[in-house]
Amino acid sequence: MRLNSVVFKLGATILFLQLIILIPLGYIILQLILNYSYSQTETQLINLSKKYATEIEDLSDTENFTLLEHLTDMTSTSASVVDAEGSPIIQKNWHEDITNEVLSESQQEQIQDGKSVVEEYTYHGATYLKVAQPIQIENQPNASVVLFSSFGLISSSIHQIIILVLLASLGAVILAIGFTFFISKKLGAPMIEMEKAAKQIAERKDFSSRVHYQANDEIGSLAKAINHLSTTLERYQTNRNEFFSNITHELKTPLTYVKGYANAIRHEMYQSEDEKNEFLEIIENETDHISNLMDDLMDLSKIEEGKIDLNCEQVDANQLAEDMARRAQIRASEKGLNVDMIPSSTNAYLYADKSRLEQILTNLVENAIRYTEKGEITLQVKDKKGGVELIVKDTGIGIKKEDIPYLFERFYRVDKSRSRANGGTGLGLSIVKHLVELHDGTISVDSEWNKGTTVSLYFPK
Ligand SMILES: Nc1ncnc2c1ncn2[C@@H]1O[C@H](COP(=O)(O)OP(=O)(O)O)[C@@H](O)[C@H]1O
Ligand SMILES: [Mg+2]
């Protein structure tokens, strides 16, 4: 695991938090117990010494000291009875390391004043609590009973507490490490997988890589986003490859014609001057076709890159359709077709790019003329709620239901040779759809095989 990894940082933070809580908590508990034990021992000693001091009436009677012996044994304290001069009369449960003087001079004075003495001191490395109580016998200077208790017992329990705190800290460390490993498996593994996938996408342009982490959390949605990105890129790549092979194909066909007929003319392979002119006309048509294809491709690439700016203005849809119909009539007449125009009953104004609207309608009307042999083409404007509907209807060959969903794909043509023969590139409807959507509009096609086709556009106002 790297030191700068997220998981390591997380683990270290958890550990730090645990210790930051445990150590002061342990210290506070320790202090509480210490204070409690000291005050307990102190009151216990004071009570004992008081009790004993009142019970002694005669210092010369050693019988008096048996009780003291029992007391010291039972409470594991040490005791001494000191005479008025400060010299010990007896010492119970005694050993050298308790003290070198039972009572100091000032303490002896306190006893003579009838006051008790409480002192905490350290001797030979051990802490003791000393409590002295004056023994008041009538007409005699005060003797005293002095009790000693070491804190050995207390310090052993303190030791235990310290060990407990240390153990808890160790447990916390182990827990934090365990948790870090768990998290590194849970978090780190998918992150590393995502890093690999992203690198594969960026460096090797391999868009087939997927992240296999599935969960309903943030990492899960990041994984999903990466998968979505690679799917999109993969589709884009396939699309692009198809597009280029399509373009190559679309260019090759007319070029083959041009080359073939140019060759034929150069080698004088025509029978008559008329045939020669026919060859030349084919060459002219094919170059037109290439030129059309280039225009459409330029348009499409600009639209798809989002480089088209709309110059929107108020457009009178009725006026526009009227102009379109008039222009279309000239071309339609060549095929013996009639162009009708049905305006809307009310004003139909649109906020749109006029030249783009013309481009859209020209494409649709061209299609209608191209794929209609007899009958008529109708342009209709309808004022719809919140928008305007433009309809281009023909009585032509129609489109089969199963082909309709693919019409807007680039280079999709139901009948390739018919489209080609009429100068179609297969890009028209794809461009139209993009332009309509740029205007926040919608396009739909309704068609019946051998009966005719209706293309409806809807633009919001
Ligand atoms: N009005 C229509 N009637 C019948 N078929 C149509 C019509 N409009 C479009 N199509 C079909 O949809 C295909 C795609 O149209 P489009 O993208 O404009 O390409 P094209 O350059 O061939 O006109 C056409 O090749 C044709 O098969
Ligand atoms: Mg077309």
Side-chain angles (χ1 to χ4, degrees), residues 25-217:
L25 197 70
Y27 180 76
I28 289 168
I29 291 174
L30 205 69
Q31 286 304 317
L32 281 177
I33 291 177
L34 270 180
N35 285 344
Y36 178 74
S37 318
Y38 276 110
S39 67
Q40 276 293 94
T41 316
E42 197 181 301
T43 21
Q44 201 184 2
L45 280 191
I46 291 173
N47 286 344
L48 273 178
S49 60
K50 270 188 184 155
K51 190 165 177 196
Y52 195 71
T54 48
E55 292 217 347
I56 294 181
E57 280 150 5
D58 187 358
L59 286 173
S60 54
D61 185 0
T62 47
E63 278 292 305
N64 273 322
F65 302 133
T66 43
L67 178 64
L68 189 66
E69 195 164 348
H70 286 308
L71 265 177
T72 52
D73 280 349
M74 269 162 46
T75 55
S76 38
T77 49
S78 306
S80 179
V81 176
V82 181
D83 65 16
E85 274 75 48
S87 319
I89 302 169
I90 64 149
Q91 287 176 317
K92 293 287 178 200
N93 220 355
W94 201 258
H95 58 87
E96 292 292 291
D97 283 344
I98 294 177
T99 182
N100 58 352
E101 53 169 4
V102 180
L103 285 177
S104 67
E105 248 174 63
S106 63
Q107 288 171 343
Q108 185 60 24
E109 276 169 23
Q110 262 178 275
I111 293 293
Q112 291 316 317
D113 289 345
K115 290 178 194 149
S116 46
V117 171
V118 177
E119 188 199 6
E120 189 189 315
Y121 69 92
T122 307
Y123 187 64
H124 283 187
T127 309
Y128 290 92
L129 187 64
K130 177 205 284 186
V131 175
Q133 211 64 243
I135 302 173
Q136 287 161 325
I137 305 171
E138 253 178 88
N139 304 324
Q140 281 182 28
N142 287 347
S144 56
V145 58
V146 193
L147 297 181
F148 297 85
S149 178
S150 91
F151 284 115
L153 268 178
I154 298 172
S155 52
S156 88
S157 50
I158 288 167
H159 262 117
Q160 278 175 349
I161 290 167
I162 290 174
I163 286 171
L164 266 177
V165 169
L166 284 180
L167 277 178
S169 313
L170 190 72
V173 172
I174 292 172
L175 240 147
I177 291 172
F179 183 72
T180 309
F181 270 100
F182 173 74
I183 290 285
S184 80
K185 281 270 169 296
K186 265 304 274 161
L187 282 187
M191 281 193 187
I192 290 168
E193 204 191 332
M194 284 187 252
E195 185 189 342
K196 259 192 210 156
K199 270 189 185 154
Q200 221 160 21
I201 291 170
E203 287 162 15
R204 274 187 250 149
K205 308 276 176 290
D206 175 6
F207 306 139
S208 64
S209 59
R210 297 284 182 278
V211 184
H212 302 285
Y213 182 77
Q214 278 178 334
N216 229 349
D217 50 23

Side-chain angles (χ1 to χ4, degrees), residues 367-368 370-371 394 398-399 407 412-414 419 424-426 428-429 453:
N367 278 351
R370 188 176 293 155
Y371 302 106
D394 65 55
I399 307 159
L407 295 180
Y412 187 85
R413 284 168 290 190
V414 178
S419 162
T425 60
L429 283 183
T453 306

Side-chain angles (χ1 to χ4, degrees), residues 15 25 117 127 139 147 155-156 167 173 182 184 194 218 233-234 257 271-272 302 324 340 408 419 437-438 441 447 458:
L15 188 66
L25 197 70
V117 171
T127 309
N139 304 324
L147 297 181
S155 52
S156 88
L167 277 178
V173 172
F182 173 74
S184 80
M194 284 187 252
E218 290 89 335
L233 286 172
E234 202 175 23
Y257 277 100
Q271 248 94 62
S272 60
K302 263 196 233 155
M324 271 328 298
D340 263 358
F408 302 107
S419 162
E437 281 169 358
L438 268 180
S447 184
Y458 173 80

Side-chain angles (χ1 to χ4, degrees), residues 208-248:
S208 64
S209 59
R210 297 284 182 278
V211 184
H212 302 285
Y213 182 77
Q214 278 178 334
N216 229 349
D217 50 23
E218 290 89 335
I219 302 193
S221 44
L222 182 60
K224 244 187 238 165
I226 289 181
N227 286 343
H228 185 70
L229 176 71
S230 39
T231 320
T232 312
L233 286 172
E234 202 175 23
R235 206 179 304 137
Y236 179 76
Q237 194 182 40
T238 334
N239 237 340
R240 205 184 63 151
N241 293 347
E242 261 174 28
F243 188 51
F244 277 117
S245 77
N246 270 328
I247 293 175
T248 317

Side-chain angles (χ1 to χ4, degrees), residues 373-428:
E373 298 311 324
K374 59 175 195 293
E376 61 207 352
I377 288 130
T378 316
L379 262 146
Q380 189 176 0
V381 181
K382 276 188 188 170
D383 191 28
K384 276 247 171 148
K385 226 196 204 167
V388 172
E389 196 173 26
L390 293 164
I391 300 165
V392 180
K393 196 174 165 188
D394 65 55
T395 54
I397 59 167
I399 307 159
K400 287 188 184 145
K401 281 260 170 315
E402 60 263 34
D403 288 316
I404 292 181
Y406 307 105
L407 295 180
F408 302 107
E409 282 180 12
R410 297 177 299 206
F411 296 115
Y412 187 85
R413 284 168 290 190
V414 178
D415 183 344
K416 270 214 157 91
S417 51
R418 186 195 287 260
S419 162
R420 249 192 66 77
N422 291 302
T425 60
L427 294 174

Side-chain angles (χ1 to χ4, degrees), residues 356-364 432 435-436 457 459:
R356 293 296 173 187
L357 272 187
E358 279 171 357
Q359 188 180 359
I360 292 168
L361 284 178
T362 309
N363 258 297
L364 296 181
V432 165
L435 289 175
V436 170
L457 307 170
F459 294 100

